[in-house]
């Protein structure tokens, strides 16, 4: 009996055993998706919980439906939104600094499918030390868009294997994939959107899933003058406002809700004590909203705030102690010319 089970198991790939289904798009492009999860059910449930609290909130991970991801790309091209340009500046000069740490067989693993511009800069560096490259974007939302196809068309020796899942599950998936070392990247200061305890858990989880020869490259936004931060999240074109309000439109579309977007406004403030931008949607009148798939109706009073995002800004001491406390050794830290942003290369202790 045991051997029969073993035989059945051997006929399945490791990924299938982890509950993933493989979907092939073209020769060098495929993705793995968990066989069973209803993302709508989880979304509906989380929204039910967080909008029924006395302090209402919506998790920032829900910003990124197709429209939200497109608006985020628009944010990245705003002159006020310095993190994108600062990080790109560091990546453009990273080649000679990163190459000494690479060998000829690294995989590139990206947590959150970043803009293909930044990914390309890293792919170019990796191709300086190896002939073939496997790139694993991990994201809960649609990662295999046109940009992945364009990457495959532009790099002959590149294979893209997307994992459509949470970062944590995606890393579990990669850990079981093969024995090659990974350069795991978490760019854009997305880490800043976690609360402190969530962030520490996340770093520890990455650390435990890393192999001893894996490298971790994380982009972090640094503390700076409040007015620069304020302007970055209150841009003159109102793109950040559009991004923030879109989460209500997403709830309307996917959870059959009736938020009237005209009855809300974007509100982003810098909390100096906590070193973070806090983003909210302010209700402009007393209103009653029904979210059918979450099975709830909620009342909002005039000026009531729905918290939608924290974006933490870090000091170098904080970064170093967070890395130490999650068993990372800092290898290098690179900065842009204005010292607005840092890219940190770390490895497992
Ligand atoms: C993705 N994340 C790091 C962005 C940030 O700056 O916190 C999201 C964002 N929110 C408003 N503008 C950009």
């Amino acid at each position: 009996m045991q051997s029969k089970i073993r035989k059945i198991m051997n006929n399945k790939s490791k990924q299938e055993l982890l509950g993933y289904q493989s979907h092939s798009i073209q020769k060098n492009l495929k993705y793995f998706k968990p066989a069973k999860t209803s993302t709508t059910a989880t979304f509906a449930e989380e929204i039910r919980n967080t909008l029924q609290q006395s302090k209402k909130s919506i998790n920032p991970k829900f910003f990124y439906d197709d429209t939200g991801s497109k608006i985020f790309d628009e944010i990245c091209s705003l002159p006020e939104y310095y993190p994108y340009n600062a990080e790109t500046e560091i990546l453009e000069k990273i080649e000679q600094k990163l190459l000494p740490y690479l060998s000829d067989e690294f995989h590139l693993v990206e947590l959150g499918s970043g803009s293909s511009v930044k990914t390309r800069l890293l792919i170019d560096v990796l191709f300086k030390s190896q002939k073939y490259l496997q790139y694993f974007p991990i994201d809960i939302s649609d990662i295999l868009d046109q940009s992945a196809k364009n990457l495959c068309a532009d790099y002959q020796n590149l294979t893209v294997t997307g994992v459509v899942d949470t970062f944590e599950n995606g890393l579990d998936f990669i850990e079981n994939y093969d024995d090659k070392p990974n350069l795991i990247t978490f760019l854009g200061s997305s880490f800043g959107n976690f609360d402190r305890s969530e962030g520490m858990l996340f770093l520890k989880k990455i650390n435990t899933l890393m192999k001893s020869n894996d490298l971790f490259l994380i982009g972090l936004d640094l503390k700076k003058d409040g007015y620069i931060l304020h302007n970055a999240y209150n841009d003159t074109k109102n793109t950040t406002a559009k991004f923030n309000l879109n989460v209500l439109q997403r709830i309307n579309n996917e959870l059959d809700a009736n938020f009237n977007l005209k009855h809300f406004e974007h509100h982003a403030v810098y909390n100096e004590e906590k070193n973070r931008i806090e983003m909210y949607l302010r209700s402009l009148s007393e209103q009653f909203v029904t979210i059918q798939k979450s099975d709830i109706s909620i009342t909002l009073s005039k000026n009531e705030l729905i918290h939608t995002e924290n974006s933490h800004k870090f000091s170098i001491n904080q970064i170093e102690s967070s890395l130490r406390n999650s068993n990372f050794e800092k290898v290098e830290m690179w900065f842009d010319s204005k010292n607005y942003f840092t890219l940190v290369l770390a490895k497992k202790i």
Side-chain angles (χ1 to χ4, degrees), residues 64 72 75 81 188-190 193 233 240 243 279 309 311 313:
Y64 303 93
F72 182 65
I75 289 180
Y81 193 70
S189 202
S190 294
N193 297 134
Y233 293 82
T240 313
F243 175 70
M279 230 162 65
E309 187 178 64
S311 190
K313 312 299 163 189

Side-chain angles (χ1 to χ4, degrees), residues 29-33 135-138 143-144 160-164:
L29 175 58
K30 67 175 172 218
Y31 68 96
F32 286 94
K33 219 174 175 169
Y135 166 50
F136 296 86
I138 302 177
I143 37 182
L144 292 154
V160 180
T161 306
V163 186
V164 184

